[in-house]
Amino acid sequence: MFKKTPLQDWEAVVQKQLKTENIYGILSKEDLEDIVIKPYYDAVAKPLNNLPKIEESTHLVGPYRESSEDNIFAFLLDENVEDLEEKVIFVNNKELAEHISPEETNRYFSLIDIFSEDKKGEIDQQLCKELLAKDFERNICVDVSLHQNAGASIVQQLSISLAKTKELTEIFGREILDKIIFKVAVGSNYFFEIAKIRALKLLFNQFSKEFELDQIPYVFAENTCRNKSKSDAENNLIRSTLELSATMIGGADAIFSNDYKIENSDSVSQEISFKQQIVLAYESIINVFEDAGNGSYYIEELTQQFAEKSWKLFVEMEEEGGYCELLKKGWIQEKISEHAIKEQNWVEEGKIKIIGVNLYPKLEKTKSVENLYSSNEIKAVRLAEMFE
């Protein structure tokens, strides 16, 4: 057994190397989430139980192409494809979802968002009923990928996930909880994003206990477009690889890699994007672990901080009328816009560094914050758009 080194000994070494006693002032790091980050962890106050996932191993989802039918097990479908057998199919098109006839040998999941996401603040209840009537394993998608791509904070994303779920239970009862699939977008703050997926599991389980259930969520994750740029496709590829790694370690049930090329996408770039998942899964084998972050003091601490802050914001949202009502008031749009603008300002100031965008760039602004963001709508905005 290794002898445990006391914290005071580590502090003494760091003080000597930094030539100062104020090591925590120097090593402290500001972040947009107001999360407390310590430079050193030797314990966690409340160790978490293992946070399981539903699938035994994370599904590696690719866009459907006939040429890949024999090699890919899980597909994202936008149009009907007949004679598929023994596949996992994620339906991503409203018209297709309405007309598809599930085959017994396949497994089906809906990624159709039934929330309007605008000031109408509506839920398409008719579409929801039609989807629930389908022989899908998971019929209703709670989509917060748009919110992440629009610049929402992690705490906002998690609280919105719960708020949208609460709206659904008020209409369709607690039975809908095992029909929900969460769709999230994963950014580049590696450990934060691992903790985000784990916090979602913790929060959903806590929410289900309000209905005397003990459920875990089904999580479909994709890489974000927010930190990608038109002119640096290779850098996009590296960022996507890290994001996909975070989703697997966080315990997502299925992952999808968007094309790393913002412009001039083709079959080759799509295949490379998908094969990022293959390399991670078969070279690192990180897609088979149930909760790879469990036992990491840092990740455990982040998970609990995100869960606590998100639950608090969720309760505040419910007290103000819930998700749909706050959409109608414009509150959701305004809060996301405020955080997105702060994040954009950090990029402009260099506090957030994106290689090729604000680090070693040809830095000429082409758009202002006012051009990019609106407090009246939730829309995806890439941080690099300011300089493109």
Side-chain angles (χ1 to χ4, degrees):
M1 292 289 291
F2 290 104
K3 182 180 178 181
K4 186 173 181 179
T5 303
L7 176 59
Q8 292 84 352
D9 290 357
W10 284 110
E11 288 176 333
V13 171
V14 177
Q15 285 171 350
K16 182 178 179 181
Q17 290 181 338
L18 295 180
K19 297 182 175 61
T20 179
E21 293 186 358
N22 184 29
I23 59 174
Y24 289 103
I26 292 174
L27 295 175
S28 64
K29 185 178 179 181
E30 187 181 10
D31 68 87
L32 285 165
E33 301 283 347
D34 292 325
I35 294 293
V36 177
I37 302 173
K38 298 188 293 185
Y40 175 87
Y41 291 83
D42 63 347
V44 62
K46 296 180 290 184
L48 293 171
N49 294 325
N50 204 44
L51 297 173
K53 58 185 181 184
I54 292 175
E55 299 290 353
E56 186 175 345
S57 61
T58 303
H59 287 306
L60 313 178
V61 185
Y64 178 80
R65 292 193 304 275
E66 188 175 354
S67 60
S68 61
E69 195 170 317
D70 294 333
N71 301 317
I72 297 179
F73 179 65
F75 285 118
L76 185 69
L77 278 192
D78 287 311
E79 57 186 32
N80 195 31
V81 179
E82 296 181 351
D83 301 323
L84 290 176
E85 294 184 357
E86 298 182 354
K87 301 294 184 184
V88 178
I89 296 172
F90 295 90
V91 179
N92 199 37
N93 178 286
K94 177 181 174 181
E95 291 186 5
L96 175 59
E98 290 175 337
H99 299 103
I100 196 170
S101 297
E103 299 288 340
E104 290 185 2
T105 61
N106 299 323
R107 300 173 62 197
Y108 294 84
F109 298 82
S110 171
L111 294 178
I112 312 302
D113 190 2
I114 60 172
F115 288 79
S116 65
E117 307 298 359
D118 55 24
K119 283 199 171 183
K120 292 180 180 178
E122 295 177 345
I123 298 174
D124 192 336
Q125 293 191 37
Q126 182 57 38
L127 175 59
C128 187
K129 291 175 183 177
E130 292 174 4
L131 290 170
L132 287 170
K134 293 287 184 181
D135 190 18
F136 289 1
E137 286 193 30
R138 298 272 166 168
N139 309 64
I140 305 302
C141 180
V142 171
D143 190 349
V144 288
S145 61
L146 170 63
H147 304 79
Q148 194 280 338
N149 283 309
S153 70
I154 288 176
V155 170
Q156 289 171 345
Q157 293 167 53
L158 292 171
S159 59
I160 288 170
S161 297
L162 288 182
K164 293 177 81 170
T165 302
K166 177 65 160 47
E167 297 279 358
L168 293 171
T169 58
E170 288 180 348
I171 299 171
F172 298 101
R174 72 174 194 167
E175 293 78 15
I176 203 168
L177 292 179
D178 64 358
K179 294 294 184 181
I180 288 174
I181 177 171
F182 289 91
K183 182 182 178 185
V184 302
V186 174
S188 58
N189 196 334
Y190 191 71
F191 293 104
F192 276 33
E193 294 294 342
I194 293 172
K196 178 174 79 175
I197 294 175
R198 298 181 80 247
L200 176 57
K201 296 184 179 193
L202 198 62
L203 288 163
F204 183 79
N205 181 256
Q206 181 177 343
F207 180 83
S208 74
K209 287 178 179 177
E210 301 292 322
F211 297 90
E212 300 180 345
L213 299 170
D214 187 22
Q215 295 193 353
I216 54 176
Y218 194 107
V219 182
F220 178 100
E222 64 180 14
N223 51 338
T224 185
C225 74
R226 184 147 176 82
N227 61 0
K228 308 301 187 295
S229 64
K230 290 181 181 179
S231 58
D232 294 293
E234 291 76 14
N235 287 335
N236 292 342
L237 192 61
I238 295 169
R239 293 177 193 124
S240 295
T241 303
L242 291 170
E243 291 155 9
L244 294 169
S245 171
T247 66
M248 292 187 191
I249 292 175
D253 296 284
I255 63 171
F256 178 79
S257 182
N258 290 300
D259 197 321
Y260 71 95
K261 286 187 175 180
I262 300 298
E263 293 183 328
N264 304 317
S265 169
D266 54 34
S267 60
V268 174
S269 62
Q270 290 174 13
E271 184 173 357
I272 290 173
S273 296
F274 172 72
K275 285 186 174 177
Q276 292 176 90
Q277 303 175 37
I278 301 293
V279 171
L280 286 166
Y282 295 108
E283 296 295 332
S284 309
I285 324 177
I286 56 175
N287 64 317
V288 301
F289 294 105
E290 189 169 66
D291 185 10
N294 186 275
S296 164
Y297 299 143
Y298 179 42
I299 293 174
E300 291 277 277
E301 180 67 25
L302 289 178
T303 300
Q304 294 183 57
Q305 285 193 58
F306 279 130
E308 289 167 6
K309 286 178 176 289
S310 301
W311 187 268
K312 181 180 179 181
L313 180 57
F314 162 63
V315 171
E316 291 174 5
M317 291 169 66
E318 289 304 304
E319 290 173 350
E320 295 297 322
Y323 184 70
C324 290
E325 183 61 31
L326 290 175
L327 273 177
K328 292 174 184 176
K329 294 178 180 178
W331 187 91
I332 300 288
Q333 298 90 320
E334 184 176 346
K335 293 298 181 182
I336 291 175
S337 176
E338 286 175 3
H339 184 271
I341 290 172
K342 185 176 181 181
E343 184 180 31
Q344 188 75 55
N345 288 337
W346 274 33
V347 170
E348 190 176 1
E349 295 165 12
K351 289 183 179 180
I352 296 175
K353 294 178 172 59
I354 305 176
I355 292 175
V357 176
N358 68 345
L359 187 63
Y360 316 119
K362 296 177 180 177
L363 197 59
E364 297 177 3
K365 285 175 57 175
T366 60
K367 297 185 182 74
S368 67
V369 165
E370 291 74 23
N371 296 140
L372 292 170
Y373 298 97
S374 169
S375 61
N376 294 317
E377 63 178 324
I378 303 171
K379 64 175 182 176
V381 178
R382 291 181 298 105
L383 293 164
E385 288 181 53
M386 175 174 277
F387 310 106
E388 293 176 342

